[in-house]
Amino acid sequence: MNKIPGFWLGLWGLIIPLIAQPALSADKLYFIYGPFNFPLSIDSLEIYAKEGRITKEFAFYASQFDEKTLIGLRHTLQKRHTIDGVRFSRLLRTPLMEDLLKSMGNIFSTHPNSNGFYAIRGALISAALHQDKEGWTAIDVMRHFPTESISLDTQLATEILKDSKF
């Protein structure tokens, strides 16, 4: 009789690690500027996207932009995309898209000074595969980023935007 509880404990010890754990997902965006990191919760961005309300946390960042830029940001965050997840996955694996994602990976990464190529591609595919009937948004992609945070190299992003004349 004493061996039965030990058996069950041992069985549970084997089963518990196999139970699906919640996947990691980003909850913070870190704006990297030289040696400085400025955090912003994705929740604050989502509140701004959905309600147009600027939270106390987002106020500092919002103050850095003019009204037209903020409206453009909100529109970008709200924009919904619908695409078949499997087809989108195939598209993102083409050489042209891989080059684009590698370039984006220099700006958006899992850690400072690392390329976020795989994390971006995974997040895009996951957002497309898990989209609701209305599609997915940039916030959904951030939520599917496979790390707890996303690092954004602001100096490189500024250089690219300046060079591309956006």
Side-chain angles (χ1 to χ4, degrees):
M1 278 297 214
N2 289 343
K3 291 185 179 182
I4 293 177
F7 168 78
W8 288 110
L9 286 173
L11 184 61
W12 276 111
L14 292 172
I15 293 174
I16 287 176
L18 301 176
I19 297 172
Q21 299 294 317
L24 264 176
S25 65
D27 59 358
K28 288 254 188 238
L29 184 59
Y30 284 93
F31 296 92
I32 311 297
Y33 187 80
F36 303 105
N37 294 316
F38 301 96
L40 175 65
S41 72
I42 293 172
D43 289 341
S44 286
L45 279 176
E46 187 170 29
I47 288 167
Y48 178 66
K50 287 183 176 180
E51 303 171 16
R53 183 167 53 90
I54 296 174
T55 63
K56 187 185 293 188
E57 180 189 23
F58 184 52
F60 167 76
Y61 300 97
S63 70
Q64 307 303 308
F65 301 106
D66 60 23
E67 188 175 345
K68 182 180 177 185
T69 303
L70 280 173
I71 291 169
L73 172 63
R74 185 168 183 223
H75 175 73
T76 299
L77 293 173
Q78 289 176 329
K79 185 160 178 54
R80 295 208 162 267
H81 309 276
T82 55
I83 187 167
D84 177 74
V86 174
R87 286 187 181 146
F88 192 45
S89 174
R90 289 181 187 142
L91 175 66
L92 293 177
R93 294 180 192 297
T94 63
L96 179 64
M97 291 304 291
E98 285 189 353
D99 287 346
L100 175 64
L101 292 176
K102 285 176 185 170
S103 294
M104 289 176 61
N106 290 323
I107 298 171
F108 301 97
S109 63
T110 55
H111 307 297
N113 302 319
S114 68
N115 192 295
F117 165 73
Y118 291 107
I120 294 168
R121 183 169 69 183
L124 284 165
I125 291 168
S126 186
L129 289 172
H130 296 99
Q131 66 185 307
D132 60 24
K133 63 182 177 185
E134 296 173 3
W136 53 271
T137 66
I139 297 289
D140 295 323
V141 174
M142 288 183 230
R143 297 269 188 222
H144 283 92
F145 215 77
T147 56
E148 292 177 356
S149 63
I150 303 168
S151 296
L152 191 154
D153 184 329
T154 57
Q155 289 176 306
L156 183 57
T158 302
E159 288 173 26
I160 290 172
L161 287 173
K162 213 182 329 181
D163 291 345
S164 64
K165 298 178 174 107
F166 275 111

